[in-house]
Amino acid sequence: MLAKSRSREVRVRLLPPRLMVYFVLARALFSGEPYREVLRTLAEAVRREDGWGAWRVPDKAAVFRARQNLGVEVLRELLVHAGVAVADERTPGAFWRGLRLMAMDGTTLQAADTEANEAGLGRLRTKAGKGPTGYPLARVMALVESGTHVVCDAAVDSYRVKERALAERLSSSLRPGMLVLADRGLPGAYIWQHLAATGADLLWRIPGIWKLPAEEVLPDGSWISTVRGGRGRSVRPPQDIRLRVIEYSLDIPGRDQDERYRLITTLMDPTAAPAAELAALYGERWRTPSPN
């Protein structure tokens, strides 16, 4: 991967690119630790290999420069090669009725407080809208294998970019044989059409404001409904979308009222995909299954 990027090692340095790749990965594991402490931890693991016995931890400024020089290309290449689903049928929680379970979710990450990051990513605004606050923020949308929590693909942009726009960029990683779960912040008619066109099946929670009249009530209590498709950037006229709706309630401790959930799915057959099983899948999507 380093050979394909501009970060190839021309001569040996205290902070060669290959070390900085490990450093970036280690930062994700030790996010609360200072930069130099993370490097010291890495050095302890390898100082007896490749003549590293006399290696010393550089100053903080040198670490910053080395991280900046590494850039993003090699890490993007790493995700392309390492970001693949790894579970098989024996992996707990990875498959359901022959479909590989995947989850799509978004988050925001703080970036270094620099002018370049502020210009490219932006900051949150105060409630009064009078000025920025906090660190620059990046929005991340990730496609994760449910059974292993392996990140198979991700899209990153300014926090001003909507999750739906980032989810559209992940469509090339979806394929038939997957069941992709998502929370209620994602659904929209256009992105639903776009991702369903990949051949992957979808199971998403939707906000209560969606109007989904029952056109056909199925034996398990779910129903078929039709919504008007979104235009997105397509020049084609919107098409009607037929989908299946599953509604249920959960008794959550500490709350006076049960919380109502409404899911939509491309799985239309209640015999092949019972509503109760789909509701359970949604609730379990982020839990780490027991190996037993």
Side-chain angles (χ1 to χ4, degrees), residues 266-279:
T266 56
L267 298 169
M268 308 294 277
D269 184 353
T271 302
E277 291 189 24
L278 294 178

Side-chain angles (χ1 to χ4, degrees), residues 254-282:
R255 296 189 182 180
D256 296 333
Q257 295 182 336
D258 295 348
E259 183 170 359
R260 296 186 65 81
Y261 284 74
R262 182 177 283 187
L263 309 178
I264 57 175
T265 183
T266 56
L267 298 169
M268 308 294 277
D269 184 353
T271 302
E277 291 189 24
L278 294 178
L281 281 179
Y282 179 80

Side-chain angles (χ1 to χ4, degrees), residues 8 14 22 46 52 61 108 116 128 135 184 188 200 213 220 228 270:
R8 287 180 288 182
L14 280 177
Y22 285 117
V46 298
W52 282 51
T108 55
Y135 286 87
R184 58 185 171 184
D220 62 358
R228 188 68 167 167

Side-chain angles (χ1 to χ4, degrees), residues 184-196:
R184 58 185 171 184
L186 181 61
Y190 170 73
I191 190 63
W192 177 271
Q193 282 181 303
H194 185 76
L195 298 187

Side-chain angles (χ1 to χ4, degrees), residues 9 42 66 70 83 85 157 170 183 237:
E9 298 180 49
L42 285 175
L70 180 68
D157 212 318
L170 302 181
D183 208 346

